Short mmCIF file of all heavy atoms in Angstrom, two decimals:
data_model
loop_
_atom_site.label_atom_id
_atom_site.label_comp_id
_atom_site.label_asym_id
_atom_site.label_seq_id
_atom_site.Cartn_x
_atom_site.Cartn_y
_atom_site.Cartn_z
N ILE V 248 -24.73 -2.11 16.93
CA ILE V 248 -23.82 -1.42 16.02
C ILE V 248 -23.16 -2.41 15.07
O ILE V 248 -23.02 -3.60 15.38
CB ILE V 248 -22.71 -0.61 16.76
CG1 ILE V 248 -21.88 -1.51 17.66
CG2 ILE V 248 -23.30 0.54 17.54
CD1 ILE V 248 -20.64 -0.81 18.24
N ALA V 249 -22.76 -1.91 13.92
CA ALA V 249 -22.06 -2.74 12.94
C ALA V 249 -21.21 -1.83 12.07
O ALA V 249 -21.51 -0.65 11.89
CB ALA V 249 -23.07 -3.52 12.09
N MET V 250 -20.13 -2.40 11.55
CA MET V 250 -19.23 -1.65 10.68
C MET V 250 -19.59 -1.93 9.23
O MET V 250 -19.66 -3.08 8.81
CB MET V 250 -17.78 -2.11 10.91
CG MET V 250 -17.18 -1.65 12.21
SD MET V 250 -16.88 0.13 12.24
CE MET V 250 -15.61 0.25 10.99
N ALA V 251 -19.81 -0.85 8.47
CA ALA V 251 -20.03 -0.96 7.03
C ALA V 251 -18.73 -0.58 6.33
O ALA V 251 -18.17 0.47 6.61
CB ALA V 251 -21.16 -0.04 6.60
N CYS V 252 -18.24 -1.44 5.45
CA CYS V 252 -16.92 -1.23 4.82
C CYS V 252 -16.99 -1.47 3.32
O CYS V 252 -17.57 -2.46 2.86
CB CYS V 252 -15.91 -2.23 5.40
SG CYS V 252 -15.67 -2.07 7.16
N PRO V 253 -16.35 -0.60 2.52
CA PRO V 253 -16.28 -0.80 1.07
C PRO V 253 -15.34 -1.95 0.70
O PRO V 253 -14.26 -2.08 1.28
CB PRO V 253 -15.67 0.52 0.56
CG PRO V 253 -15.85 1.51 1.66
CD PRO V 253 -15.79 0.72 2.93
N VAL V 254 -15.77 -2.74 -0.26
CA VAL V 254 -14.93 -3.81 -0.81
C VAL V 254 -13.98 -3.19 -1.83
O VAL V 254 -14.41 -2.49 -2.75
CB VAL V 254 -15.79 -4.89 -1.50
CG1 VAL V 254 -14.92 -5.89 -2.26
CG2 VAL V 254 -16.66 -5.61 -0.48
N VAL V 255 -12.66 -3.45 -1.66
CA VAL V 255 -11.68 -2.87 -2.58
C VAL V 255 -10.93 -3.93 -3.39
O VAL V 255 -10.29 -3.60 -4.39
CB VAL V 255 -10.68 -1.95 -1.84
CG1 VAL V 255 -11.39 -0.72 -1.27
CG2 VAL V 255 -9.93 -2.70 -0.74
N ALA V 256 -10.98 -5.17 -2.98
CA ALA V 256 -10.32 -6.23 -3.75
C ALA V 256 -10.92 -7.58 -3.36
O ALA V 256 -11.42 -7.75 -2.24
CB ALA V 256 -8.82 -6.23 -3.51
N ILE V 257 -10.87 -8.50 -4.30
CA ILE V 257 -11.43 -9.84 -4.06
C ILE V 257 -10.41 -10.87 -4.53
O ILE V 257 -9.86 -10.75 -5.62
CB ILE V 257 -12.77 -10.02 -4.82
CG1 ILE V 257 -13.79 -8.98 -4.33
CG2 ILE V 257 -13.32 -11.43 -4.65
CD1 ILE V 257 -15.03 -8.86 -5.19
N HIS V 258 -10.14 -11.85 -3.68
CA HIS V 258 -9.22 -12.94 -4.05
C HIS V 258 -9.95 -14.27 -3.85
O HIS V 258 -9.84 -14.90 -2.80
CB HIS V 258 -7.94 -12.86 -3.21
CG HIS V 258 -7.13 -11.64 -3.52
ND1 HIS V 258 -6.22 -11.61 -4.56
CD2 HIS V 258 -7.15 -10.39 -3.00
CE1 HIS V 258 -5.69 -10.39 -4.63
NE2 HIS V 258 -6.24 -9.63 -3.71
N LYS V 259 -10.67 -14.65 -4.91
CA LYS V 259 -11.50 -15.86 -4.81
C LYS V 259 -10.66 -17.10 -4.55
O LYS V 259 -11.10 -18.03 -3.87
CB LYS V 259 -12.31 -16.04 -6.10
CG LYS V 259 -13.46 -15.04 -6.16
CD LYS V 259 -14.34 -15.22 -7.37
CE LYS V 259 -15.34 -14.08 -7.40
NZ LYS V 259 -15.89 -13.78 -8.71
N ASP V 260 -9.44 -17.12 -5.11
CA ASP V 260 -8.59 -18.31 -4.94
C ASP V 260 -8.24 -18.54 -3.48
O ASP V 260 -7.97 -19.66 -3.07
CB ASP V 260 -7.30 -18.14 -5.76
CG ASP V 260 -6.60 -16.82 -5.48
OD1 ASP V 260 -7.30 -15.80 -5.29
OD2 ASP V 260 -5.36 -16.80 -5.42
N ARG V 261 -8.26 -17.47 -2.68
CA ARG V 261 -7.96 -17.63 -1.25
C ARG V 261 -9.21 -17.45 -0.39
O ARG V 261 -9.13 -17.41 0.84
CB ARG V 261 -6.95 -16.56 -0.78
CG ARG V 261 -5.64 -16.50 -1.50
CD ARG V 261 -4.60 -15.70 -0.70
NE ARG V 261 -4.79 -14.26 -0.71
CZ ARG V 261 -4.22 -13.42 -1.59
NH1 ARG V 261 -3.46 -13.90 -2.57
NH2 ARG V 261 -4.43 -12.13 -1.50
#
Side-chain angles (χ1 to χ4, degrees):
Chain V
I248 58 171
M250 287 291 294
C252 299
V254 171
V255 294
I257 299 168
H258 294 274
K259 286 184 186 156
D260 52 322
R261 303 196 286 268

